[in-house]
Amino acid sequence: MSETVRLTVAQALVRFLGAQYSERDGVEQKLFAGCFGIFGHGNVAGIGQALLEAELAEPELLPYVLGRNEQAMVHSAAAYTRMKDRLQTWAVSTSVGPGATNMVTGAALATINRLPVLLLPADTFADRAASPLLQELELPDSGDVTVNDCFRPVSRYFDRVWRPEQLSSAMLAAMRVLTDPAETGAVTVCFPQDVQAQAHDWPVELFAKRVWHVARPLPERAAVARAAEAIRSARRPLVVAGGGVHYSGATAALAAFCEATGIPVGQSQAGKGTLLFDHPQCLGAIGSTGTTAANTIARDADVVIGIGTRYSDFTTASRTAFQADGVRFVNINVAGLDAVKHSGIGVVADARETLEALTASLADFRVDADYEAEYQRLDAEWDATVSRVHADAPSGGLLTQNAVIGMVNELTEPRDVVVCAAGSMPGDLHKLWRTRDPKGYHVEYGYSCMGYEVAGGVGVALACPDRDVVVMVGDGSYLMMATELVTAVQEGVKVITVLVQNHGYASIGALSEELGSQRFGTRYRYRSGTGRLDGDRLPVDLAANAESLGVRVLRVRTADEFAAALREAKAATTSVVVHIETDPLVPAPDSRSWWDVPVAEVSSLETTQRARKTYDDAKSTQQTFLHPSEEVSS
């Protein structure tokens, strides 16, 4: 008989999680930095009690952090693991009912961005002795469905521990998915309230240190040869670098590949920073929010080398970015799902290993000097554009958002991290931010979730306490979820929040106008006597709100005041909010690109009719990319 120890299911869970490690390239770290949690009747006496015992007896086993919003806790965990290249993450514990379902948005964000987070929602009683319970979903045609089943489509792995004996298999399966770079995302394991508190005799080996190796799948030689052949045949090749380059630690390998071949690089949102902004082969952002340099080169590229990218619609400008006849794709990705996109030549392997193999295979290849001169000229022209808009003069007494971005970029250190997620700023940052450190740019744009910014900033700060974190957030996203400023104060975490007030949804307002909908429903206004939201501005004071959450606030209006406030925030040791009002009607420079958002096909509004004509013209250039890339088009 093996030795056993008697613990509740929750106590066993906490002890198990504290013993898990990840390892890559011989470097080990604890897989779980800790557990975020908000307690309710579903988990306070189960996982909550177990975390208390652990904190008293072994504080470093699974440190606990109290959050303010369940969705926000998942965002913090996702931001943390992104900064850690998916090698370390957090568990998140919630009560049953709304506490659990509040996490669904966070789960979707993590899975879409391929970020490992462990979600531990409480569930209804397994024994059903007291049913129906508070917050229990009752269905007339199913007795085993709970609200937590809504996690299934947004989780990479889902399980429910109905009995103590199921814990070991459920958690081992969960760890496998969390540490698999091709399969990872949100992992949800539900714990019925009564099961959490049940005692069981556990084999002690379940709690032994367990190291999960994070693999670097090697590319097949034949796949490398096919990819190299396609690249060697190209006259105008282009790399599209995605987040996978960061996660595989392949930034140095990408730089070596580009320097050896002369192939330029366009970057997705997640891939920004894979080359620094002033690298000779870096053309910056690509796609709907890209630079004119990257998008001009993309239009005529004959071989596109996607590395660690999902080819989202923003990256491909809704499949209009690449217009060359017979354009072919080489896709390097650990996930087969992404490697086959656009009928590409798939190399299902680690990005670093594949880049090193390709660099060796292409030792005799370099693009023509004329091509290098062309893309470097285009990049210099874009850089001059960025310098001009960074220096935008105030409009009507207000700074432009372009100028705010430029000043933050100028007055922060290269290793500081800018954080953003939704609204107009992600697109503006994508094209205007000059990234000077591979980890200096953190914009969540797989799900583009309003409310991610402050919570994500807390996660970044927890992951990188040696860097200053600057959250860029508009009033729309701030109003969605600013509560984690309280968590930052509680934990002594420093986050600098640049809170841009423009009295409405500036991003969707601009899109609405472009699509002929006249900024309808996007301004923060009183309802007037006409019955419409077209009255005076609402008297919302977001600076006062931030102060009420315990954060120091600096209110500024002018460029000089803003610069002084940023310097003061940089010198501070605690969280600071810098509140500035900007002009929402001054856009960033045009990317000369498109994003597919359908316009009403019939309308009585002339603005909509004109927008539909523009839409139809752009739609006609959309590509299918059905031709096999392994065949050379005639």
Side-chain angles (χ1 to χ4, degrees):
M1 294 288 291
S2 62
E3 183 183 354
T4 63
V5 58
R6 192 161 182 80
L7 301 167
T8 67
V9 170
Q11 292 161 2
L13 170 68
V14 169
R15 187 174 296 192
F16 174 87
L17 294 179
Q20 306 308 299
Y21 287 73
S22 70
E23 174 272 322
R24 188 176 69 179
D25 300 334
V27 179
E28 284 186 13
Q29 52 269 305
K30 291 194 71 169
L31 180 56
F32 295 99
C35 180
F36 289 106
I38 296 176
F39 299 131
H41 68 278
N43 63 341
V44 65
I47 292 176
Q49 188 276 340
L51 288 167
L52 169 63
E53 277 200 11
E55 185 173 280
L56 294 174
E58 197 175 348
E60 298 305 312
L61 182 69
L62 193 68
Y64 166 70
V65 170
L66 168 63
R68 268 73 201 172
N69 179 284
E70 291 88 356
Q71 180 189 143
M73 294 191 297
V74 186
H75 293 337
S76 293
Y80 185 99
T81 194
R82 175 174 166 178
M83 293 303 293
K84 292 291 188 178
D85 289 334
R86 308 191 298 193
L87 298 173
Q88 192 176 34
T89 186
W90 285 71
V92 184
S93 171
T94 70
S95 186
V96 68
T101 55
N102 277 353
M103 290 200 294
V104 173
T105 295
L109 179 145
T111 294
I112 286 171
N113 285 287
R114 319 286 169 82
L115 296 171
V117 295
L118 177 62
L119 309 182
L120 305 171
D123 219 321
T124 53
F125 282 28
D127 68 11
R128 305 187 186 177
S131 293
L133 306 176
L134 176 66
Q135 299 170 335
E136 179 177 352
L137 176 69
E138 290 187 277
L139 296 179
D141 58 349
S142 178
D144 65 347
V145 172
T146 78
V147 294
N148 286 357
D149 284 88
C150 65
F151 282 98
R152 290 181 184 273
V154 294
S155 299
R156 291 297 290 165
Y157 179 80
F158 177 92
D159 206 346
R160 184 179 277 114
V161 178
W162 290 113
R163 293 174 54 87
E165 294 89 343
Q166 296 173 335
L167 178 68
S168 57
S169 63
M171 297 315 299
L172 290 171
M175 297 308 108
R176 176 190 65 78
V177 175
L178 287 169
T179 56
D180 185 333
E183 296 295 327
T184 198
V187 168
T188 302
V189 182
C190 308
F191 284 85
Q193 301 171 60
D194 51 343
V195 174
Q196 290 182 45
Q198 287 176 2
H200 183 71
D201 294 320
W202 306 92
V204 294
E205 54 263 34
L206 178 62
F207 310 115
K209 177 181 177 181
R210 200 175 301 266
V211 181
W212 298 86
H213 173 66
V214 180
R216 287 191 180 278
L218 298 177
E220 294 182 15
R221 283 179 291 180
V224 172
R226 289 192 295 270
E229 180 184 9
I231 296 168
R232 193 176 282 109
S233 72
R235 293 183 58 254
R236 301 177 66 85
L238 171 69
V239 167
V240 175
V245 177
H246 284 300
Y247 301 143
S248 66
T251 53
L254 176 63
F257 173 78
C258 295
E259 289 160 8
T261 61
I263 299 175
V265 175
Q267 299 168 327
S268 72
Q269 281 280 14
K272 197 167 170 74
T274 50
L275 289 182
L276 304 187
F277 87 96
D278 55 356
H279 189 281
Q281 272 74 50
C282 182
L283 302 184
I286 194 168
S288 299
T289 54
T291 72
T292 54
N295 286 339
T296 299
I297 293 299
R299 186 167 54 247
D300 297 321
D302 51 2
V303 173
V304 178
I305 308 158
I307 309 174
T309 179
R310 299 186 304 121
Y311 285 121
S312 78
D313 62 340
F314 262 78
T315 300
T316 68
S318 299
R319 296 197 180 200
T320 64
F322 311 111
Q323 291 289 329
D325 289 341
V327 59
R328 295 190 291 162
F329 293 83
V330 172
N331 300 328
I332 301 164
N333 208 293
V334 290
L337 170 67
D338 298 313
V340 300
K341 289 177 178 175
H342 302 331
S343 304
I345 298 170
V347 185
V348 183
D350 177 77
R352 191 189 74 181
E353 298 294 329
T354 305
L355 280 167
E356 290 175 353
L358 275 176
T359 302
S361 297
L362 293 168
D364 59 341
F365 172 81
R366 188 171 182 88
V367 300
D368 290 344
D370 288 348
Y371 182 48
E372 285 194 74
E374 177 188 356
Y375 70 66
Q376 289 177 356
R377 173 182 58 78
L378 290 168
D379 185 55
E381 290 173 358
W382 177 258
D383 191 61
T385 297
V386 172
S387 294
R388 175 178 56 78
V389 299
H390 276 185
D392 274 353
S395 171
L398 298 176
L399 283 175
T400 67
Q401 187 163 280
N402 301 328
V404 168
I405 289 172
M407 293 179 70
V408 174
N409 207 170
E410 177 68 27
L411 293 170
T412 53
E413 301 298 322
R415 293 189 75 256
D416 293 348
V417 186
V418 64
V419 178
C420 195
S424 59
M425 273 192 288
D428 294 354
L429 286 164
H430 193 208
K431 63 179 77 171
L432 297 179
W433 188 265
R434 290 167 166 159
T435 307
R436 299 160 290 167
D437 179 273
K439 285 293 187 181
Y441 184 88
H442 185 111
V443 173
E444 187 285 300
Y445 217 63
Y447 209 42
S448 186
C449 184
M450 295 181 74
Y452 174 91
E453 292 88 346
V454 173
V458 170
V460 172
L462 288 169
C464 303
D466 60 333
R467 299 173 183 251
D468 268 346
V469 178
V470 182
V471 170
M472 302 280 287
V473 62
D475 51 334
S477 265
Y478 179 89
L479 283 169
M480 289 277 184
M481 195 184 308
T483 50
E484 298 317 296
L485 286 173
V486 179
T487 304
V489 173
Q490 163 191 290
E491 297 298 321
V493 171
K494 179 186 174 184
V495 176
I496 300 170
T497 301
V498 176
L499 175 50
V500 176
Q501 170 65 280
N502 49 40
H503 302 283
Y505 299 120
S507 172
I508 295 302
L511 181 63
S512 172
E513 189 168 58
E514 180 184 334
L515 301 181
S517 295
Q518 305 174 11
R519 295 183 179 257
F520 175 72
T522 64
R523 297 183 177 96
Y524 293 163
R525 303 280 181 168
Y526 283 105
R527 191 171 298 280
S528 71
T530 67
R532 304 189 67 198
L533 296 175
D534 60 359
D536 292 337
R537 284 179 175 175
L538 297 177
V540 177
D541 190 341
L542 299 184
N545 173 266
E547 285 175 331
S548 76
L549 300 179
V551 182
R552 183 180 175 199
V553 176
L554 303 174
R555 298 173 184 254
V556 300
R557 285 189 58 84
T558 69
D560 288 344
E561 290 173 348
F562 185 62
L566 279 179
R567 294 188 182 98
E568 189 173 343
K570 283 281 294 171
T573 57
T574 57
S575 289
V576 177
V577 169
V578 180
H579 178 278
I580 177 128
E581 189 167 343
T582 62
D583 186 338
L585 300 181
V586 179
D590 189 5
S591 291
R592 299 177 195 167
S593 192
W594 183 63
W595 184 38
D596 190 347
V597 181
V599 179
E601 196 166 358
V602 295
S603 174
S604 61
L605 301 176
E606 289 186 12
T607 53
T608 304
Q609 294 168 11
R610 290 194 298 270
R612 180 67 197 199
K613 174 63 168 63
T614 301
Y615 175 81
D616 288 337
D617 291 344
K619 186 77 172 176
S620 68
T621 68
Q622 208 164 35
Q623 303 295 307
T624 60
F625 302 130
L626 295 178
H627 193 284
S629 288
E630 292 192 32
E631 298 179 15
V632 179
S633 300
S634 59

